[in-house]
Amino acid sequence: MKIILLGPPGAGKGTIAKALMQFDGSVQISTGDILRSAIAAGTELGKQVEAAMAAGDLVTDELIMGIMEQRLQQEDCKKGYLLDGFPRTIPQAEALKELLAKLGEKLDCALELDIPTDVIVDRLTSRRTCVKCGEIFNVKYKPPAVEGICDVCGGDVVQRDDETEEAIQNRLQVYNDQTAPLVEFYRNGGLLVSVPSSDIDDVMAAIKSRI
Ligand code: AMP
């Protein structure tokens, strides 16, 4: 499958991508994960994007397109890919369209997870992440057995800088201003599939009816 996952931060794009990977070996490509790894590794790219990410702002289209142009040509993309967090602006969507035309590839669909804002804010402010292995916890629904310590690897479990109440409000604003117009963009392109849920069975049913 070649799918774009659309939806606000906290809609469940990463979880759905991981579940979809099981079906046909498509790879999840999360631009957020790529950038967080660069920050953790202290690379030049990491230093360039650190402040914007902590504030919940977007990094530049040029930078993201440079990363994605290389990533989409790697061998593991041949079986398909699930784009999680990309594209995020109309210029990125236009550039992706050109890139895919150049590579002779076609998307199956742009899958919109349409989740109410109050659910998202609650989900994101209670989310905690292991700094070592990336395991996700939730202080309300899935706390670690020992507070602040990862059940999987023993690493520190913390609230991400961009998951504080203030950063989340900014991320939602950025989503509404810059990313939400992509729903119309892909609807007009005949690629939009909208699912009012992040339940994997609902999502699979919507995808099957489409592919
Ligand atoms: P995510 O994990 O997808 O929520 O991304 C975390 C942060 O990484 C975002 O708030 C942005 O700062 C940055 N980011 C990720 N993907 C993109 C993108 N496609 N365009 C611009 N910034 C991005």
Side-chain angles (χ1 to χ4, degrees), residues 197-208:
S197 156
S198 51
D199 179 272
I200 184 65
D201 294 332
D202 295 346
V203 169
M204 273 321 289
I207 291 179
K208 278 185 186 149

Side-chain angles (χ1 to χ4, degrees), residues 9 13 30-33 35-36 49 52-54 56-61 64 84-89 92 160 162 171:
K13 298 185 294 294
S30 155
T31 38
D33 283 351
L35 298 174
R36 277 186 288 278
V49 300
M53 282 185 74
D57 291 328
L58 295 185
V59 310
T60 66
D61 293 333
I64 290 289
D84 166 9
F86 168 84
R88 238 170 163 118
T89 63
Q92 288 180 22
R160 268 170 40 182
D162 64 352
R171 284 165 74 194

Side-chain angles (χ1 to χ4, degrees), residues 63-111:
L63 207 145
I64 290 289
M65 287 317 301
I67 294 171
M68 290 307 287
E69 188 155 355
Q70 285 186 17
R71 184 66 188 91
L72 288 176
Q73 295 186 65
Q74 285 170 8
E75 195 55 33
D76 62 347
C77 289
K78 295 245 158 64
K79 280 191 187 162
Y81 38 76
L82 307 154
L83 302 182
D84 166 9
F86 168 84
R88 238 170 163 118
T89 63
I90 294 283
Q92 288 180 22
E94 302 272 18
L96 174 64
K97 199 170 163 185
E98 270 179 36
L99 175 61
L100 294 178
K102 193 172 92 185
L103 300 175
E105 291 181 11
K106 259 200 158 100
L107 293 170
D108 292 304
C109 67
L111 181 76

